[in-house]
Amino acid sequence: MPTPRSRPAAAVVLAAALAAVGLGPAATPAAAATVPVGAGSYSDTRPPGTTGPTTNTGAPVTPKVTQAAKGRPVPTNDWWSSLAFQRYGDNPYSTPMYGHPLTYQAVSGGLEVGYPTSPAVVGDGRQYEYAHKRDLTLGLSGLNSPDTKADAWSDWTVTPYWSDGTRTLRTTIGHGMPFVYAQGSGGNAQITTAATPTVFSDQGNVVGITVGGHHYALFAPTGSDWNISGTTITAGLGGKDYFSLAVLPSTDALATFRTYAFSFVTGSQVDWSTSGGTVGATYKLTTEAKEGTERGTLQALYRHQWLNTTDTLTPYTYVSPRGTMKVRESASFTTRQKAAPVLPALPRTSAVDTSRLRTYLSEVADSSDPFSGATDTYWTGKALGKLAQLVPLADQIGETAVRDKLVGLLKGRLQEWFTAGGASEFSYDRDWKTLTGYPASYGSDAELNDHHFHYGYYVYAAAIVAQYDASWAADSAWGGMVKELIRDTANPNRTDSAFPFLRGFDVYAGHSWASGHQGFAAGNNQESSSESTNLSAALVLWGSATGNTELRDLGSYLLATEGEAIAQYWFDADQQVFPGSFTHDTVGMVWGSGGAYSTWWTANPEEIHGINVLPVTAGGSPHLAGNKDAIRRNLAELERENGGPAVEWRDILWEFQSLADPAGAKAKWDAGHAGYTPEQGESKAHTYHWITTLDALGAPDPSVTGDLPTSAVFTKNGTRTYAAHNHGSTARTVTFSDGKTLTVPARSTATGTGTDTGGPDPDPDPEPPTGNTFQLRSGGALTTATGGTAGSDTIPSAEGRNHDGTPNKPLVYEVKGVNATLKAGASTTFRLPVDARTAVGLGQQARISYDLTGDGTFDRTETYRYFATDPVTGWEEYNQTRGLKAATGTLGNLSGGTVRLEVWSAIGNGSALLRTGGDTSVVVIPYD
């Protein structure tokens, strides 16, 4: 939810209208009992005069689940939460649910199913959406259920349930699932289409239809026969109780999908691990063979997943609001990502003026109200976060009195909240199995919104306290209450009967959701992705400070996963996700149906761009530096939309700029620091330290990771500085993925240029490529390996616009870690077979870029004139002889560098193909 410096009444009215907030009189609570937890406590009954979960009219609401699911913790804040949380009293079924590629909505007669493939841009161009539109409804003949309940769920699947007393229907749906699996009794299987379908295959119990331009396969038990009458398709189940349907990527995929039609998904689970600076995760479906013995299945991977897997994928793809989804023919797949850099604070450098920092620290520590009047969970959290950032800074410059004063302030306010019966406390709701802080804010009570946003600040502050006072963080002291907040927001235990597994984090979507009820036509939403990663970083720090490796590694998994999702879905880092008709470079909010250049409370561009940056911390922010081009595009758009540089949230946006351009951010600080008011979660002390330190060390370099989760690397002018914090009681040596090591004393932060061990890397990155000829591979790789299977990727249409010279939805192929010596007199060459098939007036264009040191900044870009393809099916060769259209920067030797090829449609109104594999598409770089 929003984090403005102030929230005027008009903004509250707007948010109320958007969220349909309506708080009625609070129910009279029973006599409260206090539940002790170490030195702290919470109440098991909410305070008098407050509210718990309600409908939009203010009526109390309990989970809408079947008897079989009663008492099981409901994962609110999920993509399907409206099944269980009846926010709107007149809708006992669900709002639209976005599983991707399919969309769903429960209605009285069963489950509406759609596959939106054409985006709409609405709200004066500020929002794009692939809104749910029914292609068909899956049900039983005569079904007329008074409601729909959640019957079962797993990590990313859910089973809705309908019953009208005569007929009973269960369906299993999920993220990435092209199938809907149904089990019913009391009636025939029935599919009702939104328009008269076209039948492209009729094999008795297997029928292929096209409706709304989308292809579906319907599967009834062997021996059954589908009967088609207008828009109604029925099949007797012959004494069985199962049938299924699938959306097909093409009509010729029917045979493949038929293989898995009766391998019903019964559950889903992710398992993660961290080792040597790498985060691995395996996503697995469990299945049951309703017929035959087949136990495999098909699942569609989101972009953030297929970019990070080496598992074999099929040629099948789907459209989604998150870009292209690619299909895997297996019940599981594995991803591997670099762990995100995390530190308690940026390290000390001589560039920071001690006297100046001391003055800034005193302004906060000696303030008459360091908490700025905060009383509710959110604003108290912001204040805790602000103070927590300053503790290590005071410690760095030997200001132990200021450090201890700040730690004391943190302890005092945390302990107030961690003790039941006072003006502020946490209360446990037995029906919803959630811990709500009172005074609540932004629907954290009535709608169960934003717990991860609010409580992340508390956990982060507690982690900083634990770094300096381990006894305070013991379970028998105040650490027990910290763990209760973690159980509420990010519980790793699936068998915990008191809290759901990872309440708000959607493991398959790769990010968290903010709304507790998901009661919107656009699905669920999340605005401040950075406040979500604030919780993940807090888990890394808390787990490191308290020796809890389970929570530390959970934080590493969440941070790496959501960091990739943020890059792709909020910032469109590769320019492959946002539709071409949406002209913004970032979104303030991601919805199930798409994204919006907006916030809940304002249309001010500074907040739209800044809300996914704050709070700026050394734990939760450095991962953003992995996409420096996206940061530059983001800030350039901000200034265009704002009519000039930031004014209101200038400190947040300066700090954001420093992740890609430290010198530019420092220049803005030097020019404007005297006359601004810090954002309410910020301070001049922290902003000065942040900007000055990164100007000295260089921007974070997430391409190199350490085998200690609390480590980071910074790069300036090709020189790397290694940093790590050791929470342990003995010194340790940290090994980085480039082979360098750093010795870190106990309970200290160390920095250095690293020691070359001369030995093998214990968890090496792939070997740097040798040779100067790179082959294209589907999935975005450039490789020196030969002999790859021939294939093709689709170059998206230019949609009738002129993109000559400016990449638009480009295909991106990249290789990292390249070491090579520039060859005198040589130049880049390439050979790219393209085919526009029968489309007229298309032109494909290429840009090749060189990042000489791998720091995320491209030092040389070469844009070539586009190639006008003919409207005849067959491959044509596009090569460098078309000539350069533009070039910037200069080439030099590559040292751990990156080479990137981008191919897009410069003109035209149709898509084209680019050949991959088969050693036919190559880029030759001018290097030895």
Side-chain angles (χ1 to χ4, degrees):
M1 283 296 286
T3 53
R5 288 211 309 262
S6 61
R7 191 175 171 87
V12 176
V13 172
L14 172 63
L18 288 170
V21 174
L23 302 182
T28 303
T34 296
V35 180
V37 181
S41 58
Y42 62 84
S43 172
D44 70 351
T45 305
R46 67 176 188 267
T50 62
T51 189
T54 65
T55 67
N56 60 312
T57 60
V61 64
T62 55
K64 187 162 60 80
V65 299
T66 63
Q67 191 62 40
K70 286 270 187 208
R72 189 179 170 202
V74 174
T76 55
N77 308 74
D78 215 332
W79 67 275
W80 57 265
S81 293
S82 62
L83 275 174
F85 194 136
Q86 188 177 340
R87 177 64 179 161
Y88 299 99
D90 59 352
N91 180 9
Y93 305 104
S94 81
T95 55
M97 300 173 289
Y98 293 81
H100 307 145
L102 291 172
T103 61
Y104 315 96
Q105 184 165 8
V107 295
S108 61
L111 184 71
E112 288 187 357
V113 179
Y115 173 41
T117 53
S118 298
V121 175
V122 298
D124 296 326
R126 300 172 73 87
Q127 181 166 347
Y128 77 89
E129 57 182 10
Y130 293 77
H132 168 69
K133 181 181 179 182
R134 180 179 82 95
D135 283 336
L136 50 84
T137 302
L138 178 153
L140 301 173
S141 55
L143 177 65
N144 185 21
S145 179
D147 58 24
T148 310
K149 297 181 173 73
D151 184 57
W153 50 85
S154 59
D155 286 7
W156 62 88
T157 68
V158 65
T159 300
Y161 170 90
W162 296 256
S163 177
D164 61 9
T166 301
R167 289 156 287 266
T168 297
L169 174 69
R170 290 175 175 85
T171 64
T172 296
I173 56 179
H175 278 315
M177 286 169 47
F179 283 95
V180 177
Y181 306 96
Q183 291 184 264
S185 62
N188 292 332
Q190 179 171 292
I191 307 296
T192 307
T193 58
T196 302
T198 299
V199 179
F200 64 82
S201 179
D202 187 345
Q203 305 170 38
N205 71 316
V206 178
V207 170
I209 62 172
T210 301
V211 58
H214 306 135
H215 310 302
Y216 291 90
L218 315 179
F219 305 98
T222 299
S224 301
D225 190 11
W226 290 101
N227 176 61
I228 304 172
S229 177
T231 59
T232 301
I233 307 173
T234 57
L237 298 179
K240 311 295 187 193
D241 68 349
Y242 55 84
F243 60 104
S244 65
L245 68 78
V247 62
L248 303 179
S250 61
T251 56
D252 60 9
L254 177 58
T256 299
F257 278 68
R258 181 174 186 168
T259 301
Y260 303 105
F262 301 112
S263 178
F264 274 40
V265 168
T266 58
S268 58
Q269 182 167 316
V270 62
D271 294 298
W272 60 85
S273 62
T274 65
S275 176
T278 298
V279 176
T282 298
Y283 299 81
K284 184 176 183 180
L285 297 172
T286 54
T287 62
E288 174 188 357
K290 292 294 185 181
E291 291 186 7
T293 59
E294 180 60 61
R295 297 292 299 273
T297 189
L298 296 157
Q299 48 189 328
L301 279 63
Y302 283 115
R303 180 173 180 81
H304 76 275
Q305 295 169 323
W306 58 256
L307 282 174
N308 292 289
T309 188
T310 57
D311 291 343
T312 301
L313 303 176
T314 71
Y316 300 132
T317 61
Y318 290 105
V319 173
S320 87
R322 310 292 178 254
T324 299
M325 300 183 80
K326 298 189 177 185
V327 177
R328 167 114 166 117
E329 193 171 4
S330 175
S332 69
F333 64 91
T334 297
T335 61
R336 281 175 62 84
Q337 294 176 251
K338 292 181 182 295
V342 174
L343 291 170
L346 294 183
R348 182 179 182 178
T349 70
S350 59
V352 172
D353 181 87
T354 300
S355 176
R356 188 174 184 182
L357 180 58
R358 184 182 299 114
T359 299
Y360 286 146
L361 288 167
S362 296
E363 289 177 2
V364 179
D366 296 338
S367 167
S368 60
D369 182 10
F371 290 91
S372 305
T375 58
D376 62 38
T377 47
Y378 181 72
W379 290 100
T380 297
K382 291 268 290 184
L384 287 167
K386 176 179 69 176
L387 298 179
Q389 299 308 313
L390 303 184
V391 173
L393 309 191
D395 190 50
Q396 283 180 12
I397 62 172
E399 286 293 320
T400 55
V402 174
R403 177 200 67 193
D404 293 345
K405 183 175 184 177
L406 291 168
V407 169
L409 289 169
L410 294 174
K411 287 180 179 178
R413 187 55 59 96
L414 288 170
Q415 289 167 200
E416 288 177 20
W417 278 89
F418 290 169
T419 304
S424 51
E425 67 173 9
F426 286 94
S427 172
Y428 182 72
D429 187 304
R430 287 184 292 269
D431 290 324
W432 288 97
K433 301 190 183 302
T434 187
L435 203 61
T436 302
Y438 293 96
S441 48
Y442 304 122
S444 60
D445 49 0
E447 302 178 45
L448 298 184
N449 295 341
D450 299 359
H451 285 200
H452 60 313
F453 292 166
H454 299 201
Y455 304 171
Y457 287 108
Y458 290 69
V459 178
Y460 207 113
I464 295 298
V465 173
Q467 182 177 326
Y468 293 92
D469 186 349
S471 62
W472 182 92
D475 289 351
S476 58
W478 300 96
M481 279 300 294
V482 178
K483 286 185 176 180
E484 292 298 312
L485 299 192
I486 293 171
R487 288 175 73 197
D488 182 75
T489 54
N491 185 11
N493 184 357
R494 292 181 181 83
T495 62
D496 191 334
S497 62
F499 295 95
F501 172 70
L502 296 181
R503 178 185 303 281
F505 192 83
D506 187 328
V507 295
Y508 204 89
H511 59 81
S512 297
W513 296 111
S515 170
H517 55 77
Q518 189 260 308
F520 304 95
N524 213 324
N525 72 89
Q526 179 159 266
E527 183 181 62
S528 182
S529 60
S530 47
E531 287 183 302
S532 183
T533 56
N534 185 52
L535 171 61
S536 302
L539 292 173
V540 175
L541 293 173
W542 173 261
S544 297
T546 61
N548 189 323
T549 56
E550 179 189 31
L551 293 180
R552 181 200 68 188
D553 292 350
L554 167 63
S556 292
Y557 164 68
L558 298 179
L559 186 56
T561 305
E562 190 154 24
E564 181 72 78
I566 291 166
Q568 298 300 329
Y569 311 141
W570 273 260
F571 295 155
D572 198 14
D574 298 331
Q575 298 178 284
Q576 292 289 297
V577 172
F578 298 170
S581 51
F582 182 71
T583 59
H584 294 283
D585 288 313
T586 189
V587 294
M589 305 171 70
V590 160
W591 286 89
S593 64
Y597 185 77
S598 64
T599 72
W600 278 109
W601 80 99
T602 182
N604 181 356
E606 294 190 30
E607 274 105 332
I608 293 171
H609 288 258
I611 192 60
N612 286 291
V613 178
L614 61 79
V616 177
T617 73
S621 302
H623 74 91
L624 295 170
N627 296 281
K628 294 178 173 64
D629 282 351
I631 294 174
R632 295 185 185 97
R633 290 196 304 270
N634 189 307
L635 292 170
E637 179 179 30
L638 163 67
E639 296 202 0
R640 290 195 304 270
E641 294 285 332
N642 205 42
V647 175
E648 185 176 353
W649 277 6
R650 66 183 78 177
D651 47 357
I652 298 295
L653 294 160
W654 290 339
E655 290 170 309
F656 186 38
Q657 181 177 351
S658 69
L659 295 171
D661 177 16
K666 179 66 160 50
K668 289 182 178 177
W669 162 266
D670 289 341
H673 72 270
Y676 82 97
T677 300
E679 187 272 334
Q680 279 198 280
E682 260 299 344
S683 64
K684 286 190 176 181
H686 180 257
T687 302
Y688 166 67
H689 183 275
W690 180 274
I691 290 174
T692 305
T693 300
L694 291 184
D695 183 52
L697 296 179
D701 182 359
S703 70
V704 181
T705 59
D707 64 359
L708 181 68
T710 49
S711 60
V713 178
F714 306 86
T715 300
K716 181 175 183 178
N717 298 328
T719 298
R720 287 175 174 155
T721 299
Y722 302 81
H725 184 85
N726 177 11
H727 287 87
S729 58
T730 59
R732 66 161 294 166
T733 297
V734 179
T735 301
F736 292 85
S737 58
D738 61 359
K740 293 295 182 70
T741 62
L742 180 70
T743 299
V744 190
R747 301 188 180 94
S748 300
T749 296
T751 60
T753 55
T755 301
D756 195 337
T757 62
D761 183 348
D763 185 22
D765 289 335
E767 285 297 316
T770 58
N772 63 355
T773 301
F774 293 92
Q775 320 285 332
L776 278 63
R777 296 285 188 265
S778 290
L782 291 176
T783 176
T784 54
T786 59
T789 302
S792 64
D793 289 342
T794 300
I795 308 170
S797 169
E799 299 175 320
R801 297 178 176 82
N802 188 329
H803 299 292
D804 185 13
T806 304
N808 175 66
K809 309 288 289 180
L811 299 179
V812 179
Y813 304 86
E814 191 172 80
V815 59
K816 297 183 177 181
V818 182
N819 300 310
T821 303
L822 184 64
K823 184 186 296 184
S827 59
T828 306
T829 63
F830 60 87
R831 182 175 68 250
L832 304 175
V834 291
D835 180 16
R837 292 162 292 189
T838 58
V840 177
L842 270 59
Q844 291 81 57
Q845 194 159 29
R847 182 170 77 177
I848 298 172
S849 304
Y850 297 87
D851 171 0
L852 300 180
T853 61
D855 66 354
T857 299
F858 284 94
D859 305 279
R860 167 76 172 178
T861 63
E862 301 172 359
T863 304
Y864 292 83
R865 293 188 177 92
Y866 69 76
F867 179 73
T869 41
D870 63 36
V872 178
T873 300
W875 298 106
E876 302 174 76
E877 184 175 290
Y878 172 27
N879 58 47
Q880 76 285 346
T881 61
R882 296 295 301 166
L884 276 172
K885 177 181 176 63
T888 61
T890 57
L891 286 170
N893 294 338
L894 288 162
S895 177
T898 299
V899 180
R900 174 185 292 179
L901 165 69
E902 298 164 278
V903 182
W904 70 96
S905 293
I907 57 172
N909 224 337
S911 62
L913 297 178
L914 172 65
R915 192 72 163 162
T916 60
D919 303 337
T920 56
S921 288
V922 299
V923 174
V924 182
I925 63 174
Y927 289 84
D928 289 322

